[in-house]
Amino acid sequence: MASNAAFAEIAALAGDPARAGMLHALMDGRALTSSELARVAGVTPQTASGHLARMTAAGLLCVD
């Protein structure tokens, strides 16, 4: 049951259009700043920071 909950959490995080855009931008392996990711996602830097914090907490991203 725990694996279903973890899968659902990841799916919900990746299902948001702004977060999906950020993840897609990072898939080529380059490190991008939060400002660059905000531009890619079409959100404010503050909103991007919130999205990045949620994805980092879930283990989708790591800060380098």
Side-chain angles (χ1 to χ4, degrees):
M1 190 65 139
S3 63
N4 286 342
F7 183 80
E9 178 185 11
I10 299 303
L13 287 170
D16 178 272
R19 289 191 290 264
M22 291 178 186
L23 289 170
H24 187 253
L26 291 166
M27 287 179 73
D28 67 3
R30 292 179 298 142
L32 299 171
T33 66
S34 59
S35 295
E36 291 169 322
L37 291 168
R39 266 192 304 282
V40 166
V43 297
T44 67
Q46 294 83 1
T47 299
S49 290
H51 286 312
L52 292 167
R54 289 185 68 187
M55 290 189 288
T56 301
L60 286 175
L61 303 175
C62 65
V63 178
D64 196 29

